Amino acid sequence: MRPLILVLSLVLAVVPLVGVAWVFVSGMITLSPFSATVDGLFMTLILLTLSACFLLNAFWEAKDQGLLGKKQSPPAKTPAAKAS
C-alpha cells in the first residue's frame, strides 16, 4: 500500500506542472516581452503550490520507506548496572 501512495503522490505532483506549461503555451504568461494576466499568475501560483505539497508528501513517503537517506536504527540497549 505504501509504494502506491508514493507513486500516486509523484503523479499528482507532475500533473500541475503540466498545467503550468499549458498556461505558458496558451499565452496567459509570455516571457518576451513579459506579459501576464492576473488569471495566468494566480493559476500558476495555485498549480505550483499543489505540486509542492504533493512533492513534499512524496519526499516524506520515500524517506519513511528508506529510499532516501539513512534509516536510523534504534539505539542499542545497554546492560543494566548490577546492584551491589
Side-chain angles (χ1 to χ4, degrees):
M1 183 69 177
R2 300 291 278 199
L4 180 64
I5 294 173
L6 177 61
V7 171
L8 187 62
S9 291
L10 288 172
V11 168
L12 290 175
V14 171
V15 170
L17 295 177
V18 173
V20 171
W22 176 79
V23 168
F24 280 97
V25 169
S26 69
M28 295 172 104
I29 296 178
T30 58
L31 296 177
S32 62
F34 183 74
S35 168
T37 63
V38 175
D39 289 343
L41 288 174
F42 279 103
M43 176 87 70
T44 302
L45 286 174
I46 290 167
L47 290 172
L48 288 175
T49 303
L50 274 171
S51 184
C53 290
F54 282 113
L55 280 174
L56 184 62
N57 187 42
F59 171 75
W60 285 335
E61 285 294 327
K63 195 169 182 180
D64 286 346
Q65 291 179 15
L67 299 174
L68 294 176
K70 186 188 272 187
K71 198 165 193 174
Q72 294 180 358
S73 59
K77 292 184 179 180
T78 57
K82 292 185 179 181
S84 48

